[in-house]
Amino acid sequence: MLRIQRVSILLFVGLLYATIVRSQGFAIRNNLLYDATLTPNFGVEMRLDSVWTMGLNAGFNLWDYDKAKNKKWRHILISPNFRHYNDTLFRKSFWGLHAVYSHYNVGNVKFPFGMYKDVRDKRRQGDLVAVGGSFGYNWWLTGRLHLEAEIGLALAYTWYKEYECATCGAYLGKKDKFFLLPKLGLNLVWSIGRKPEPRIVEPIPQIIPIPVAPVKPVVHEVPVNTGRAGQLEKENPVLRHISQYRPYDRTQTLRRDKAALYVHFPVSSSIIAHDFRNNAATLDRIVDITHQITADSTSQVKCIQIIGLASIEGGKDANERLSKKRANALKDYVQQQIATPDSIFEVIAGGEAWADFRDQLVEVQEAGGEQGVISADELEQAIKIIDNEPDETRREQQLRRVNGGKTWKYLKKNILADQRNSGYIRVYYDYVPDTAAAVINEASELLQTDCGECHHKALKLLEGVRDDQRAQNALGVALYLCGNKQEALEHFRRAAENGNEDAAKNLKEIERTLNRE
């Protein structure tokens, strides 16, 4: 009895201490599984910092279950513990260290899972100490109430007096032993004192008034990660996102697309000459761009559009075949340099480039023709032939007769030269959507308002991307505006160390304000 009194005094002191420090963050708990053994129990826990707590659990059973059979599990138990929460205090998972002391008088009790078989027909009275670890997880129910599951194991040592049976009580002597002591808990937990750090799990039904902050933290949107392809597009206009893809039709004026790349072929040839005109630089760029994108896990080449072209002069069927051969030659060249599947190529025989040819005539006409060589009227006549004659063969024949053939001679020398040797290339890409940036930027817009509800909504959004380094400054701003200044400073420091200028400014201003307070 004296030993139980000493333990009761120790328990009272622990409770008194926890009550005094509850302003630091405080919770009480009850183990429902322990209740099932008809053992009253409770626990207290206080905050040490943002992730560590110190606590004390106790259980006491001071009555006999069946006096006639001397069936009893009389005991008092106290268990101090330390916990480390893997997220915000009192939230999500944790691991812990615990010690146990118990004074007990147990006999004629059948424990589950075949444990402690000796006390089914014997009685033991003694003491127990143990040290061990545990792991647990929290589920929030509402407000300050949450449910907590915990499992653990400890190395225990006990010393006791043993009696022959539970009813007769014949003394057998003193004994001691080491054994493994399991820990199992299903706790109802109530947080009191300082309110836990805000993690919004339910929509807030009304606007929460936010005190006017002494400083307005700075937050800006973060750039969206478009992968290596998006970076290359800035210096290589030949690249376009797949959303900008448009199928080719022969009314398109390809020469107006200055961002595309052109490979040149000798007259009537479909063989790629690497050293012909500026082919070397063009082909090397295509291969390099394609290689960099295919090597990047966050972006990919979706389509390489290749259009082979031929001059309007000559037989239509022959030019059609020539343009197809030129397009296939470009595809084969790329595949020889980089292993790329056929599925990403769109190979098109553009045939005779009438749309480009007409555009060039208009361009010369608008410049007033070429004095002493070809007039604007001659060019106007040629343009009308193109517009009014649908048959391409007869169209060419009519152009050859304009002004006794002089106009055709000019066109052949000054315009058709490039048309005889062109192949058009455009590369389309896609990238893994940067959903984290979208969330951060949405939250940043909310944080720039004076709406308290918006600030809490932003905090909820940012919790989902809290491990993204780009979110640290916005997360600090959200926490600060929602009243959690100390945790806000931690995120500002993390972002500032990573080079975020907004975070460095916020950290400096808020620390200065807090020092004044």
Side-chain angles (χ1 to χ4, degrees):
M1 181 60 69
L2 181 61
R3 184 169 296 164
I4 293 177
Q5 289 175 347
R6 288 199 300 267
V7 172
S8 299
I9 293 172
L10 179 61
L11 187 58
F12 173 77
V13 172
L15 280 173
L16 179 62
Y17 175 71
T19 302
I20 292 172
V21 299
R22 69 172 182 235
S23 63
Q24 300 300 313
F26 184 64
I28 59 174
R29 60 177 37 83
N30 173 255
N31 188 341
L32 301 178
L33 299 182
Y34 209 178
D35 290 338
T37 67
L38 303 182
T39 302
N41 67 92
F42 64 94
V44 293
E45 186 176 4
M46 68 174 182
R47 172 178 181 155
L48 299 179
D49 59 20
S50 61
V51 293
W52 281 98
T53 66
M54 180 175 67
L56 184 69
N57 298 329
F60 46 94
N61 187 325
L62 303 180
W63 50 82
D64 298 331
Y65 294 118
D66 189 337
K67 290 187 177 181
K69 296 182 180 181
N70 201 18
K71 184 177 180 180
K72 64 180 68 178
W73 185 27
R74 302 181 68 182
H75 70 279
I76 186 166
L77 178 146
I78 59 172
S79 176
N81 60 79
F82 290 90
R83 285 184 176 182
H84 181 277
Y85 286 83
N86 298 322
D87 193 44
T88 307
L89 188 65
F90 301 144
R91 301 181 188 275
K92 286 195 174 181
S93 60
F94 63 86
W95 56 267
L97 300 173
H98 64 274
V100 179
Y101 170 76
S102 177
H103 180 72
Y104 60 87
N105 186 353
V106 55
N108 203 17
V109 175
K110 185 177 181 180
F111 287 94
F113 310 115
M115 296 189 301
Y116 317 131
K117 295 181 179 180
D118 290 348
V119 298
R120 294 182 181 182
D121 55 4
K122 294 180 182 179
R123 183 171 67 87
R124 292 179 178 176
Q125 182 174 345
D127 299 273
L128 173 151
V129 292
V131 177
S134 64
F135 176 81
Y137 197 91
N138 280 285
W139 295 272
W140 281 90
L141 301 178
T142 179
R144 299 175 180 273
L145 183 66
H146 55 107
L147 186 66
E148 174 186 279
E150 185 177 16
I151 187 171
L153 193 66
L155 177 64
Y157 173 71
T158 182
W159 61 99
Y160 55 89
K161 296 177 180 179
E162 188 172 61
Y163 297 84
E164 189 175 29
C165 63
T167 54
C168 65
Y171 178 62
L172 297 179
K174 294 182 179 180
K175 295 184 179 181
D176 64 273
K177 68 174 183 177
F178 287 93
F179 66 100
L180 293 178
L181 180 67
K183 180 177 184 178
L184 191 63
L186 185 63
N187 305 317
L188 275 178
V189 183
W190 182 263
S191 300
I192 58 178
R194 180 173 178 172
K195 189 175 181 179
E197 310 298 348
R199 175 192 290 266
I200 307 305
V201 295
E202 296 180 357
I204 298 176
Q206 59 184 3
I207 295 177
I208 299 177
I210 301 297
V212 177
V215 294
K216 180 71 173 179
V218 180
V219 60
H220 290 104
E221 293 186 356
V222 299
V224 176
N225 182 10
T226 57
R228 181 58 182 154
Q231 297 172 2
L232 287 170
E233 184 181 10
K234 298 174 183 177
E235 297 180 357
N236 296 274
V238 67
L239 278 170
R240 281 184 181 171
H241 187 258
I242 190 64
S243 62
Q244 300 179 50
Y245 167 82
R246 296 293 181 272
Y248 171 73
D249 68 76
R250 297 196 178 188
T251 63
Q252 287 179 245
T253 307
L254 297 180
R255 64 186 299 269
R256 293 287 183 180
D257 188 354
K258 302 301 183 183
L261 295 179
Y262 291 87
V263 175
H264 299 279
F265 293 86
V267 176
S268 300
S269 173
S270 61
I271 298 174
I272 294 178
H274 199 269
D275 57 351
F276 184 64
R277 297 183 65 173
N278 62 340
N279 281 356
T282 301
L283 292 169
D284 289 347
R285 186 190 296 186
I286 294 170
V287 171
D288 180 60
I289 288 172
T290 306
H291 176 74
Q292 290 191 56
I293 297 175
T294 55
D296 179 28
S297 61
T298 63
S299 55
Q300 58 180 324
V301 175
K302 296 292 289 185
C303 176
I304 300 179
Q305 187 181 58
I306 300 176
I307 304 171
L309 299 171
S311 169
I312 67 167
E313 60 181 323
K316 177 182 176 181
D317 293 340
N319 284 335
E320 194 75 26
R321 291 191 296 270
L322 180 60
S323 68
K324 185 174 182 179
K325 289 180 179 180
R326 287 174 171 175
N328 283 319
L330 285 170
K331 173 196 168 188
D332 293 342
Y333 179 85
V334 174
Q335 288 187 309
Q336 288 170 7
Q337 305 302 314
I338 304 174
T340 46
D342 289 342
S343 59
I344 70 170
F345 288 91
E346 182 184 19
V347 180
I348 301 168
E352 296 180 345
W354 281 100
D356 279 10
F357 177 65
R358 184 188 186 282
D359 186 67
Q360 286 176 286
L361 295 183
V362 172
E363 192 175 85
V364 177
Q365 182 194 33
E366 291 175 347
E370 189 171 334
Q371 189 173 6
V373 180
I374 190 170
S375 68
D377 290 339
E378 289 178 81
L379 293 168
E380 177 66 24
Q381 187 177 354
I383 293 170
K384 286 182 178 180
I385 292 173
I386 295 172
D387 292 342
N388 297 322
E389 177 53 66
D391 185 278
E392 294 177 354
T393 300
R394 288 199 297 268
R395 185 187 299 169
E396 180 187 344
Q397 292 172 353
Q398 292 178 29
L399 287 173
R400 287 175 178 269
R401 292 195 294 268
V402 174
N403 196 22
K406 293 181 179 179
T407 300
W408 180 256
K409 184 177 181 180
Y410 169 85
L411 297 177
K412 186 175 181 179
K413 177 182 178 182
N414 295 280
I415 293 181
L416 295 181
D418 279 344
Q419 285 201 324
R420 295 193 194 102
N421 43 38
S422 57
Y424 169 100
I425 297 179
R426 166 70 75 179
V427 181
Y428 295 94
Y429 71 92
D430 199 2
Y431 58 88
V432 177
D434 190 356
T435 55
V439 171
I440 296 168
N441 291 336
E442 180 182 354
S444 297
E445 289 185 10
L446 294 171
L447 293 172
Q448 294 178 57
T449 70
D450 294 325
C451 167
E453 184 179 4
C454 298
H455 299 163
H456 282 275
K457 183 179 179 181
L459 178 59
K460 182 179 179 181
L461 288 170
L462 292 167
E463 286 288 356
V465 293
R466 64 183 297 121
D467 294 330
D468 194 308
Q469 183 58 44
R470 296 172 297 174
Q472 299 309 307
N473 180 61
L475 190 55
V477 173
L479 288 165
Y480 179 80
L481 294 176
C482 290
N484 191 343
K485 298 178 181 179
Q486 292 303 319
E487 190 172 354
L489 291 175
E490 294 175 11
H491 289 281
F492 287 141
R493 290 190 185 98
R494 191 180 307 172
E497 290 171 359
N498 201 47
N500 189 302
E501 295 181 0
D502 288 345
K505 180 179 179 180
N506 292 336
L507 180 63
K508 181 179 179 180
E509 292 297 322
I510 293 172
E511 283 184 335
R512 181 185 303 169
T513 302
L514 293 178
N515 289 335
R516 291 173 185 168
E517 296 177 355

